[in-house]
């Protein structure tokens, strides 16, 4: 099959099957409702009106989004650091690190955004570009020198390529990129006040780039092209879980499916609660001529031997459904926490002497791979700028020895991040045996609040505020 420039390769379509779930879960309740039968199957013989009411009343427990936020934020609980082969290297790169994408975004913020992307969806990339070099060459000064480029403020910068922008690629016989296609959207002026969004496809080959756009949204053609000074494509893929070159899997995909199951189960529970809350008035032994008027001052005349009563749900199914949902929520917490559990890896002779190297959690391995990707992006930037690249280091000391420890750690981080309440955190720690079951969560949370700020927070208001002086 011949693909058009804007079409996805089959392997990308395979990944998009999983992205349908992760994207909707990250967007929340509205996206889940828009997914309709994909996320909420229609019951046999269910009428359209009843199905619409069920869809519009369903709400999502944002377990997937919360876990992605917590996991992707852990490497940035401490400031990202960079180091060069010398102090001079670090000094040269410092202004660029504060504005790594030429839009005022620092490297730390840029890296945090990309980390969230790969934890949520499993694949992303960094493209290193030098857009202004062509402008200097066209200014009449001839081929720009390094001095010309630096004087004009020209420098390489990082471009985010998110998972849903990647269309396809081709590998060479050594496994490197021989061609890459990704799509972007940009706004153009439309009249004095409006804008129109236009799609553009980038086609990259070693030493060359092309921009394709569709005239009237129909025929795609090249609208701009040019050469680069590199003999490779300056693109670095980033993986959540690497399956193959340019193919990634969301590391929390199992949690995504459990969250969808919770969406369905919670809807079923809400439906049965709605039914159970409305008792049905039944008349037994009454004839067809019996007229029923229900009201405070109304009376009903029944034939001899007839009976009238309200029929109500026993509640057994409601309790069973509630217990099932609680078990499912616990399973989601455990599944999300698995990224933090230390696991033995392939050990070398050197690693045998260092347990920290041989036992790493999946999140630590993801972060190490991410560091390598950032380093490679700086290698490309250094080739453009004729500078020695710095090395990036992220915080990685967050592994846990057991699943219980990991899930307890996840609960604490969620509470500190404002994703769950203190009472919920206490209850979850009681279920894990970390806290005594005799503790009353509401009383404990209230007493903790009455004790004042936690250690390390005193004095953060500033000089003259609570605590006297500002602490470092």
């Amino acid at each position: 099959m011949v693909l058009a420039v804007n079409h996805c390769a089959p392997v990308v379509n395979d990944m998009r099957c999983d992205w349908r779930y992760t994207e909707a879960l990250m967007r929340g309740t509205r996206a889940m409702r828009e997914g309709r039968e994909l996320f909420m199957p229609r019951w046999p013989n269910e009428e359209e009106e009843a199905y619409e009411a069920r869809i519009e009343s369903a709400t999502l427990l944002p377990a997937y989004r919360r876990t992605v936020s917590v996991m992707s934020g852990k490497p940035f609980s401490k400031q990202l650091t960079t180091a060069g082969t010398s102090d001079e290297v670090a000094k040269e790169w410092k202004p660029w690190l504060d504005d790594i994408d030429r839009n005022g975004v620092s490297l730390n913020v840029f890296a945090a955004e990309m980390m969230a992307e790969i934890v949520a969806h499993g694949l992303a990339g960094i493209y290193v570009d030098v857009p202004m070099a062509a402008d200097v060459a066209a200014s009449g000064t001839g081929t720009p020198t390094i001095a010309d480029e630096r004087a004009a403020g020209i420098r390489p910068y990082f471009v985010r390529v998110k998972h849903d922008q990647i269309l396809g690629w081709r590998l060479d016989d050594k496994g490197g990129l021989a061609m890459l296609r990704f799509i972007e959207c940009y706004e153009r002026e439309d009249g004095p006040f409006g804008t129109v969004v236009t799609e553009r496809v980038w086609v990259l080959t070693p030493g060359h780039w092309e921009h394709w756009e569709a005239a009237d949204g129909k025929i795609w053609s090249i609208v701009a092209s040019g050469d680069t000074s590199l003999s490779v494509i300056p693109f670095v893929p980033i993986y959540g879980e690497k399956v193959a070159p340019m193919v990634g899997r969301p590391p929390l995909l199992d949690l995504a499916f459990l969250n969808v199951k919770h969406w369905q189960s919670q809807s079923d529970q809400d439906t049965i609660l709605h039914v159970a809350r409305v008792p049905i008035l039944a008349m037994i032994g009454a004839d067809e001529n019996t007229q029923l008027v229900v009201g405070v001052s109304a009376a009903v005349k029944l034939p001899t031997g007839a009976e009238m009563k309200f029929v109500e749900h026993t509640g057994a199914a409601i309790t069973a459904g509630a217990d099932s949902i609680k078990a499912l929520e616990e399973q989601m917490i455990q599944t999300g926490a698995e990224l933090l559990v230390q696991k033995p890896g392939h050990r070398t002779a050197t690693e045998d002497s260092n347990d920290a190297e041989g036992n790493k959690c999946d999140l630590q391995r993801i972060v190490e791979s991410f560091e390598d990707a950032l380093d490679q992006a700086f290698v490309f930037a250094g080739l453009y700028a004729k500078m020695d690249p710095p090395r990036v280091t992220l915080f990685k000391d967050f592994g846990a020895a057991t699943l219980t420890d990991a899930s307890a750690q996840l609960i604490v981080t969620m509470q500190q991040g404002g994703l769950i309440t203190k009472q919920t955190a206490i209850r979850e720690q009681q279920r894990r045996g970390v806290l005594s079951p005799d503790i009353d969560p509401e009383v404990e949370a209230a007493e903790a609040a009455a004790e004042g700020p936690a250690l390390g927070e005193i004095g953060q208001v500033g000089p003259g505020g609570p605590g006297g002086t500002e602490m470092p």
Side-chain angles (χ1 to χ4, degrees):
M1 180 180 65
V2 178
L3 295 177
V5 69
N6 63 318
H7 287 175
C8 288
V11 65
V12 176
N13 284 327
D14 287 342
M15 289 189 288
R16 288 196 170 195
C17 291
D18 293 334
W19 294 342
R20 294 181 304 173
Y21 295 91
T22 60
E23 288 170 350
L25 290 170
M26 291 299 292
R27 288 174 54 203
T29 296
R30 178 180 294 181
M32 295 295 289
R33 290 176 178 176
E34 292 172 353
R36 300 181 64 81
E37 282 90 345
L38 176 63
F39 307 123
M40 186 79 75
R42 190 188 300 266
W43 292 336
N45 302 320
E46 185 176 17
E47 296 181 356
E48 179 66 24
E49 184 177 349
Y51 180 73
E52 286 292 336
R54 193 158 61 92
I55 282 286
E56 292 303 317
S57 63
T59 54
L60 175 70
L61 175 70
Y64 188 80
R65 186 172 60 201
R66 288 174 178 174
T67 306
V68 167
S69 174
V70 169
M71 292 299 178
S72 62
K74 280 189 171 294
F76 300 93
S77 56
K78 293 185 179 180
Q79 184 74 17
L80 172 152
T81 61
T82 56
T85 55
S86 66
D87 292 340
E88 185 63 27
V89 171
K91 182 179 179 180
E92 285 183 329
W93 283 97
K94 181 64 170 66
W96 299 12
L97 301 180
D98 294 336
D99 183 13
I100 199 65
D101 67 346
R102 295 186 64 86
N103 286 312
V105 176
S106 69
L107 175 62
N108 194 76
V109 174
F110 180 93
E113 293 175 357
M114 298 306 291
M115 186 68 188
E117 180 76 7
I118 62 173
V119 172
H121 308 294
L123 181 67
I126 300 173
Y127 175 60
V128 183
D129 195 10
V130 190
M132 294 178 61
D135 296 337
V136 175
S139 64
T141 60
T143 303
T145 64
I146 297 298
D148 292 334
E149 292 179 354
R150 293 185 180 180
I154 298 172
R155 61 173 178 82
Y157 75 107
F158 290 0
V159 177
R160 304 167 185 80
V161 179
K162 297 186 177 182
H163 69 287
D164 55 351
Q165 292 181 253
I166 298 173
L167 300 176
W169 60 86
R170 185 180 298 130
L171 302 178
D172 59 26
D173 54 1
K174 296 181 180 179
L177 277 176
M179 184 274 294
L180 174 69
R181 292 181 295 122
F182 66 86
I183 194 168
E184 67 174 359
C185 296
Y186 67 96
E187 290 186 349
R188 295 187 304 181
E189 294 183 1
D190 184 26
F193 308 110
T195 59
V196 59
V197 177
T198 301
E199 289 185 331
R200 171 192 292 162
V201 174
W202 287 66
V203 179
L204 307 175
T205 52
H208 188 74
W209 58 267
E210 295 173 352
H211 288 169
W212 290 64
E213 293 183 10
D216 300 325
K218 297 179 180 179
I219 301 175
W220 288 81
S221 60
I222 300 175
V223 296
S225 63
D227 296 326
T228 70
S229 60
L230 303 185
S231 60
V232 294
I233 298 175
F235 176 85
V236 185
I238 315 171
Y239 306 97
E241 181 181 321
K242 185 176 180 179
V243 177
M246 291 297 299
V247 180
R249 179 181 183 271
L252 293 170
L253 185 59
D254 292 336
L255 173 60
F257 290 138
L258 287 173
N259 207 167
V260 172
K261 182 178 181 180
H262 186 279
W263 159 262
Q264 298 166 355
S265 184
Q266 184 65 61
S267 175
D268 293 344
Q269 186 73 0
D270 292 343
T271 300
I272 197 172
L273 281 172
H274 174 72
V275 173
R277 287 171 180 170
V278 182
I280 301 174
L281 184 61
M283 293 190 297
I284 304 171
D287 56 36
E288 296 180 353
N289 297 324
T290 300
Q291 295 184 354
L292 176 63
V293 179
V294 179
V296 176
S297 59
V300 179
K301 184 177 181 181
L302 298 174
T304 303
E307 180 183 2
M308 184 172 67
K309 62 181 180 179
F310 281 101
V311 179
E312 296 185 77
H313 201 284
T314 63
I318 297 175
T319 302
D323 291 342
S324 177
I325 289 176
K326 287 182 180 179
L328 184 57
E329 290 173 354
E330 174 65 20
Q331 190 177 0
M332 286 193 290
I333 292 174
Q334 300 282 5
T335 301
E338 286 179 357
L339 281 186
L340 297 176
V341 180
Q342 294 174 347
K343 302 173 184 177
H346 299 290
R347 299 171 65 89
T348 65
T350 303
E351 290 173 341
D352 283 335
S353 62
N354 189 345
D355 289 338
E357 287 295 326
N359 295 278
K360 298 176 182 177
C361 66
D362 289 340
L363 185 59
Q364 286 172 320
R365 300 180 195 278
I366 292 172
V367 173
E368 288 181 348
S369 176
F370 185 40
E371 284 179 334
D372 292 341
L374 290 172
D375 288 344
Q376 183 58 52
F378 275 112
V379 168
F380 289 141
L383 291 174
Y384 272 129
K386 304 298 189 294
M387 294 169 57
D388 291 333
R391 294 192 61 186
V392 178
T393 301
L394 296 172
F395 174 68
K396 297 184 287 292
D397 188 17
F398 41 68
T402 66
L403 183 57
T404 300
D405 294 340
S407 62
Q409 186 181 115
L410 178 60
I411 291 297
V412 172
T413 307
M414 282 184 162
Q415 191 278 316
Q416 292 175 339
L419 301 174
I420 59 176
T421 64
K422 292 182 178 179
Q423 291 91 331
T424 298
I426 293 173
R427 293 189 187 97
E428 291 298 332
Q429 300 292 32
Q430 287 176 318
R431 293 174 64 183
R432 286 160 179 75
V434 177
L435 297 178
S436 169
D438 297 331
I439 294 176
D440 186 317
E442 294 184 1
V443 173
E444 190 69 20
E447 291 181 351
E451 289 182 354
L455 183 63
E457 296 180 359
I458 300 176
Q460 291 183 1
V461 176
T469 59
E470 186 175 15
M471 296 180 67

